[in-house]
Amino acid sequence: MSATPILLAVGHGTRDPAGAATIRALLERVRALRPALPVAECFAEICAPSLDDAVAALGGPAVAVPLMLGRGYHSLVDIPGRTGPGAVVARPLGPHALLARALADRLRATPPADAVVLGAAGTSDPSGMADVRAAARLLGWHLGRPVAHGFAASAEPSLTDVVGDLRRRGARRVVIASYLLAPGFFHRRILDSGADAVSPPIGVHDALATLILRRYDEAAAAYGRIGEAPQKAVSRT
């Protein structure tokens, strides 16, 4: 290919300034890991620059990497529908063992627990729910213990119900691993779910930055031979 495709990182978007700042700091870590790779940021909604503005400003080929932890509307429908013919779309970040490693690191900031719960934002997409269940299994394998899962909004089981059920079954200290990239609305919901402790969002972590680059590399292969027109990639697990 005549030019290295730009990595167009597409965040969900948030009204919390700390959330947007975290995404930008994470992308600085991505740039540090691969200095020669052009990296641009944008957001699917709420924040600027918007995905549409970023696509309009592209001067060459691009790989759009959804900064999302599982399948859902934005990663499967919205982003592929808005990136145009000059870009391919990578699959979402999760589930992946690198995320389990990062989650385990964030859990070190919490006290020992009788029970660990993976706390996700929530989704109405069945494939997204399956991704959360898979992420909980990966974290459980990494920790060597069972890990339940629950959602802060828009899906069942709710985190509040999961925490309550674990207490009824004898858990005295319940800790939630925040399955989120950055602080914002959903992290506040997780903090209010009744757990004894909640880990910080994954945030700026080398395992996460490495995974973003891995998703980029996977999708960049869709450009094929040098000079070949790009084919639209479909997000998949």
Side-chain angles (χ1 to χ4, degrees), residues 21-109:
T22 298
I23 294 300
R24 294 185 178 107
L26 171 63
L27 295 179
E28 285 302 312
R29 188 63 195 141
V30 172
R31 293 181 181 100
L33 291 178
R34 196 176 295 182
L37 176 66
V39 178
E41 70 187 53
C42 64
F43 296 89
E45 57 183 47
I46 303 173
C47 295
S50 71
L51 172 58
D52 304 288
D53 287 346
V55 169
L58 289 174
V63 171
V65 179
L67 301 184
M68 295 158 194
L69 294 172
R71 291 170 290 179
Y73 169 73
H74 283 303
S75 61
L76 296 178
V77 178
D78 182 41
I79 296 172
R82 294 163 64 189
T83 49
V88 293
V89 180
R91 51 178 158 172
L93 301 176
H96 198 279
L98 284 169
L99 291 172
R101 182 194 307 173
L103 286 165
D105 282 349
R106 296 296 179 242
L107 280 171
R108 293 194 178 97

Side-chain angles (χ1 to χ4, degrees), residues 6 10-11 14 65 110 115 125 130 151 153 157 159 164 184 191 203 231 233 237:
I6 189 171
V10 188
T14 175
V65 179
T110 65
D125 190 304
F151 298 93
L159 275 173
L191 289 169
Q231 301 297 311
T237 55

